[in-house]
């Protein structure tokens, strides 16, 4: 109340009182903005419980900054997912497959891995894996994702996934967008083969639109609009 009671104080004093009041308000504003950003980054996908795109991106970049060349960036795309959605089990079966895929990716990546659902049936992982173990771990992931999923009352649905991966030491960069673009190209190089493909430098220069492989469904329209 003191600053209000002394409104007739000299200009210099009044300015000091106003500044004294403004500093805490500015601090709270900065805190509120920071908290909002953290909450947005931590927002989970309601169906799978995985990080959304923003949350995944933030954590993946943290892993790259911390572990550098030991990080493996992986993109996963479910094969023939539309057929599952259009099948007898409908979208409920598709939801179970997405949830099961999320559980498998989380188990494979471990607690320190960044695992996110980018949208639809596409997932991403950024996890620390030593170079000597990459091929083995990727083969294990491909095998894990190919296991049938129980959708209801013991009914099993066959699933398959395409897997592409990229690493900083091979591509010479820790830029997440470059790594994901290369992983995306590698994933499509091995589409429907049942094996994971580790990107080399050639995958990093595949023509892209908005950071995705040119020709991928939806990229043409997005690129033209941009």
């Amino acid at each position: 109340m003191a600053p209000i009671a002394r409104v007739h104080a000299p200009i210099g004093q009044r300015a000091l009182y106003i500044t004294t009041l403004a500093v805490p308000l500015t601090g709270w504003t900065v805190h509120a903005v920071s908290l909002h950003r953290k909450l947005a980054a931590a927002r989970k996908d309601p169906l799978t419980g995985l990080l959304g795109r923003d949350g995944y991106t933030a954590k993946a970049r943290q892993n790259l900054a911390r572990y550098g060349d030991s990080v493996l960036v992986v993109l996963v795309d479910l094969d023939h997912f539309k057929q599952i959605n259009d099948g007898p089990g409908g979208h409920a079966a598709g939801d179970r497959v997405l949830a099961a895929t999320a559980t498998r990716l989380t188990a494979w990546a471990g607690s320190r891995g960044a695992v996110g659902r980018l949208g639809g049936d596409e997932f991403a992982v950024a996890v620390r894996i030593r170079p000597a173990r990459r091929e083995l771990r990727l083969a294990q992931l491909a095998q894990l994702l190919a296991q049938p999923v129980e959708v209801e009352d013991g009914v099993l649905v066959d699933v398959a996934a395409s897997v592409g991966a990229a690493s900083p030491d091979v591509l010479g960069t820790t830029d997440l967008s470059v790594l994901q673009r290369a992983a995306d190209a590698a994933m499509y190089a091995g589409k429907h083969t049942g094996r994971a493909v580790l990107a080399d430098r050639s995958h990093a220069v595949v023509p892209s639109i908005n950071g995705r492989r040119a020709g991928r469904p939806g990229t043409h329209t997005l690129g033209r609009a941009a």
Side-chain angles (χ1 to χ4, degrees):
M1 295 299 290
I4 297 176
R6 298 185 62 181
V7 291
H8 297 295
I11 293 176
Q13 286 184 310
R14 279 188 287 167
L16 178 61
Y17 294 141
I18 293 172
T19 302
T20 302
L21 290 172
V23 169
L25 291 176
T26 302
W28 276 109
T29 301
V30 172
H31 175 72
V33 171
S34 176
L35 181 61
H36 174 75
R37 288 176 177 172
K38 288 180 180 179
L39 289 174
R43 192 170 295 139
K44 299 294 184 68
D45 173 57
L47 175 61
T48 64
L50 297 180
L51 294 171
R53 183 182 291 271
D54 290 345
Y56 159 76
T57 299
K59 189 170 182 179
R61 285 175 173 161
Q62 288 176 0
N63 283 353
L64 284 165
R66 178 176 296 179
Y67 302 119
D69 287 352
S70 295
V71 174
L72 193 64
V73 174
V74 183
L75 287 188
V76 174
D77 206 26
L78 295 180
D79 298 337
H80 311 300
F81 183 70
K82 187 176 184 300
Q83 295 179 11
I84 297 175
N85 268 337
D86 294 342
H91 287 278
D95 288 350
R96 287 180 179 268
V97 170
L98 291 173
T101 301
T103 299
R104 292 168 178 179
L105 287 172
T106 300
W108 180 80
S111 59
R112 295 186 179 181
V115 186
R117 182 187 179 196
L118 301 185
D121 60 336
E122 185 178 25
F123 302 85
V125 181
V127 60
R128 185 186 186 189
I129 298 177
R130 299 188 184 282
R133 291 180 52 80
R134 284 175 187 158
E135 291 188 9
L136 174 62
R137 291 295 307 281
L138 285 172
Q140 291 172 340
L141 177 61
Q143 184 177 16
L144 179 64
L145 295 176
Q147 299 300 313
V149 174
E150 182 176 343
V151 293
E152 61 176 347
D153 300 328
V155 177
L156 296 177
V157 170
D158 289 329
V159 295
S162 295
V163 180
S167 59
D169 61 324
V170 174
L171 299 185
T173 180
T174 56
D175 187 312
L176 180 61
S177 62
V178 174
L179 293 167
Q180 288 190 165
R181 184 166 66 245
D184 182 69
M187 178 177 68
Y188 273 82
K191 194 71 174 172
H192 305 306
T193 64
R195 63 184 180 85
V197 178
L198 183 61
D200 56 32
R201 289 182 179 269
S202 68
H203 294 103
V205 296
V206 169
S208 64
I209 298 173
N210 294 334
R212 307 311 305 276
R213 180 186 58 84
R216 186 185 178 101
T219 55
H220 180 68
T221 301
L222 288 173
R224 184 171 54 195

